[in-house]
Amino acid sequence: MKSTWDVLIVGAGSAGATAALHLARAGRRVLVLDARALDEAGAQWVNGVPGWMFDRAGVARPSDPPELRSAPARHVIVDPGWEHRVVLPRSPLLSVDMRHLIARLQREARAAGATLTGRTPVRDVLLEGERVVGVRTPEGEVRARFVIDASGLAGVVRSKVPALRAECPAPRASDVCSAAQEVRRIADLDGARRWIAAHGAPGDALGVVGLEGGFSTRNVNVDLRSGEVDILTGAIAERGRMSGPELLDAFVRAQPWVGEKVFGGSGAIPLRRPFDRLSAPGVALIGDAACQVFPAHGSGVGAGMIAARVLAEALLAHAPQAGDGAHDPGVRYEATFHRATGALLAAYDVFRRLSQDLSAEDLAGMFAAGLIDPVGFEAGLSQRMPVLGARDVLRLGAAATRAPRLAARFGPAVVRMRLAHALYRARPRRRELLFAWSRAAERLVDA
């Protein structure tokens, strides 16, 4: 299997397939490899993705079933004691069956001229000096002018490149979400109706936060028309806390109206801010391999697809020459991504670190005081920075007076979120300036 390509992409999930699509459409010779069968690549569950992120990624929005599932009527979030709730009358998310989205992206990339090959794991990387020039697989060597690691949290290329291995360490256990999502049949419609009557309204996406520490959730959406229920759980499984799959299994056991599994899956999702360094000579990281995940709730689909487009545009703007490593397109990609999407992810990592240490009592107090409100809730779901008007500021000020202890923790985090966003928006383009910037980001976000 000795061959040479313009771009080699390791990972055929949503990020890798998006990169392949953009590059192949521009006439580049693209090979995509995945260790799994192609129809098993990437996430195999339902994910809520804001529509604007498809637009920014240059990917057509899902518009029809089965790729687009029925949208929740409302989004509702409640505290662990079920005493307080915040309601969004309209969901800002598209409910996407990732199996069908990835299949569409793979199909369109192949139609544009890309070659996609499954069941081909990467064993090692090929280096010429410090530059990555390809990979080694069980079938032989594959060489490329540029390599993209879209292999997920494991970072199978990243972990084998000395410069990236040193500067992009695997996330700590406290920075990894254990998540699970399943679509199950409703075995007892009357039982489902009774559960809805007790907890919400038909079609609501009902999320309970703080079940296993501050960063944990269970989201349930019952669709009586289709006879199915979508269940999403996630938690940071440390300090003896339950994992996402355990939370999901516990809910199913406690609800006899929930029937057999239709499809779904589970996985580990990195929550820390994106790596400061996203590339080395001849290689770049996208998606979970780069920790490009919205930290407040662990969705990385939109950010990964956006990164794929940004990287593709940087590669297409670069005039490739044999042995050219002086002006690597990865440097342009890093700066462009961090100044926009990276700024958003870093800001919300500040919030994630705050929420992770909150107790059930803290969360209930924030709900009761109004520190958790529709503006912040919608901004988080939409993966945007909150935009506060004068009334919102006054309302939050009044909430702070009702819960001064919690406000003393919440207020400084909001300030740090804004500062982190501004710092990333000013991310330098020159590598020699990155050390000081990176230290500032570490002190501001990771503190």
Side-chain angles (χ1 to χ4, degrees), residues 264-285:
S266 61
I269 300 172
L271 297 175
R272 57 149 287 160
R273 62 192 173 92
F275 292 127
D276 295 342
R277 184 167 183 175
L278 302 176
S279 72
V283 62
L285 316 175

Side-chain angles (χ1 to χ4, degrees), residues 196-411:
I196 291 171
H199 297 97
D204 281 352
L206 180 62
V208 186
V209 296
L211 294 167
E212 287 288 314
F215 189 97
S216 58
T217 187
R218 182 186 66 226
N219 194 83
V220 179
N221 183 16
V222 182
D223 189 342
L224 296 174
R225 291 174 299 176
S226 68
E228 293 179 342
V229 53
D230 293 8
I231 310 166
L232 170 67
T233 55
I236 296 176
E238 59 172 357
R239 307 172 193 169
R241 294 168 175 168
M242 295 173 68
S243 66
E246 289 171 335
L247 283 170
L248 193 150
D249 289 344
F251 178 78
V252 171
R253 287 195 303 270
Q255 306 298 331
W257 56 270
V258 177
E260 64 182 355
K261 175 181 172 180
V262 180
F263 69 91
S266 61
I269 300 172
L271 297 175
R272 57 149 287 160
R273 62 192 173 92
F275 292 127
D276 295 342
R277 184 167 183 175
L278 302 176
S279 72
V283 62
L285 316 175
I286 59 174
D288 284 13
C291 294
Q292 291 167 333
V293 173
F294 190 73
H297 52 61
S299 176
V301 176
M305 292 193 303
I306 289 171
R309 182 183 184 180
V310 172
L311 176 56
E313 289 175 345
L315 288 168
L316 295 172
H318 179 70
Q321 300 174 13
D324 178 19
H327 303 287
D328 199 293
V331 176
R332 176 184 300 198
Y333 156 63
E334 286 180 355
T336 304
F337 177 84
H338 276 314
R339 287 183 169 199
T341 308
L344 174 76
L345 303 184
Y348 272 95
D349 196 22
V350 174
F351 178 80
R352 187 269 303 185
R353 290 170 186 274
L354 167 69
S355 69
Q356 197 165 323
D357 291 330
L358 295 174
S359 66
E361 293 75 17
D362 291 335
L363 286 166
M366 293 180 73
F367 272 91
L371 290 171
I372 296 177
D373 68 337
V375 174
F377 181 30
E378 182 169 21
L381 283 181
S382 301
Q383 299 189 43
R384 295 184 184 274
M385 289 295 290
V387 178
L388 300 178
R391 289 185 179 180
D392 298 317
V393 173
L394 291 173
R395 180 170 38 76
L396 287 173
T401 63
R402 291 190 289 270
R405 180 184 64 84
L406 293 170
R409 297 172 63 184
F410 188 73

Side-chain angles (χ1 to χ4, degrees), residues 27-335:
R28 298 297 188 266
R29 295 179 63 248
V30 179
L31 173 66
V32 183
L33 301 178
D34 201 287
R36 294 174 289 184
L38 291 176
D39 62 358
E40 298 174 357
Q44 298 291 298
W45 55 61
V46 176
N47 207 308
V49 186
W52 72 265
M53 301 190 91
F54 286 97
D55 304 337
R56 185 75 56 83
V59 173
R61 297 188 184 196
S63 57
D64 298 300
E67 183 178 333
L68 180 66
R69 295 178 63 81
S70 58
R74 304 184 303 171
H75 257 92
V76 182
I77 185 173
V78 301
D79 69 8
W82 293 83
E83 295 180 3
H84 309 281
R85 62 179 54 204
V86 175
V87 179
L88 293 184
R90 183 178 179 183
S91 173
L93 303 179
L94 299 175
S95 186
V96 182
D97 186 331
M98 293 301 298
R99 301 171 304 165
H100 294 285
L101 170 62
I102 292 170
R104 170 166 66 97
L105 293 170
Q106 291 178 353
R107 187 168 58 250
E108 291 178 355
R110 191 179 288 111
T115 299
L116 285 75
T117 304
R119 301 190 187 281
T120 308
V122 168
R123 300 300 191 204
D124 205 352
V125 299
L126 305 176
L127 295 169
E128 290 183 357
E130 295 183 353
R131 187 173 188 82
V132 177
V133 296
V135 301
R136 184 175 290 111
T137 75
E139 286 73 35
E141 294 183 355
V142 181
R143 291 181 171 263
R145 293 183 181 276
F146 202 87
V147 176
I148 298 174
D149 188 350
S151 64
L153 178 60
V156 298
V157 176
R158 180 195 73 213
S159 63
K160 297 174 175 62
V161 178
L164 296 178
R165 186 169 60 239
E167 296 192 39
C168 306
R172 302 169 301 178
S174 58
D175 293 332
V176 176
C177 173
S178 166
Q181 198 282 332
E182 289 182 357
V183 174
R184 286 179 168 262
R185 300 195 192 283
I186 297 174
D188 176 4
L189 283 172
D190 289 337
R193 291 189 182 99
R194 286 192 295 271
W195 187 88
I196 291 171
H199 297 97
D204 281 352
L206 180 62
V208 186
V209 296
L211 294 167
E212 287 288 314
F215 189 97
S216 58
T217 187
R218 182 186 66 226
N219 194 83
V220 179
N221 183 16
V222 182
D223 189 342
L224 296 174
R225 291 174 299 176
S226 68
E228 293 179 342
V229 53
D230 293 8
I231 310 166
L232 170 67
T233 55
I236 296 176
E238 59 172 357
R239 307 172 193 169
R241 294 168 175 168
M242 295 173 68
S243 66
E246 289 171 335
L247 283 170
L248 193 150
D249 289 344
F251 178 78
V252 171
R253 287 195 303 270
Q255 306 298 331
W257 56 270
V258 177
E260 64 182 355
K261 175 181 172 180
V262 180
F263 69 91
S266 61
I269 300 172
L271 297 175
R272 57 149 287 160
R273 62 192 173 92
F275 292 127
D276 295 342
R277 184 167 183 175
L278 302 176
S279 72
V283 62
L285 316 175
I286 59 174
D288 284 13
C291 294
Q292 291 167 333
V293 173
F294 190 73
H297 52 61
S299 176
V301 176
M305 292 193 303
I306 289 171
R309 182 183 184 180
V310 172
L311 176 56
E313 289 175 345
L315 288 168
L316 295 172
H318 179 70
Q321 300 174 13
D324 178 19
H327 303 287
D328 199 293
V331 176
R332 176 184 300 198
Y333 156 63
E334 286 180 355

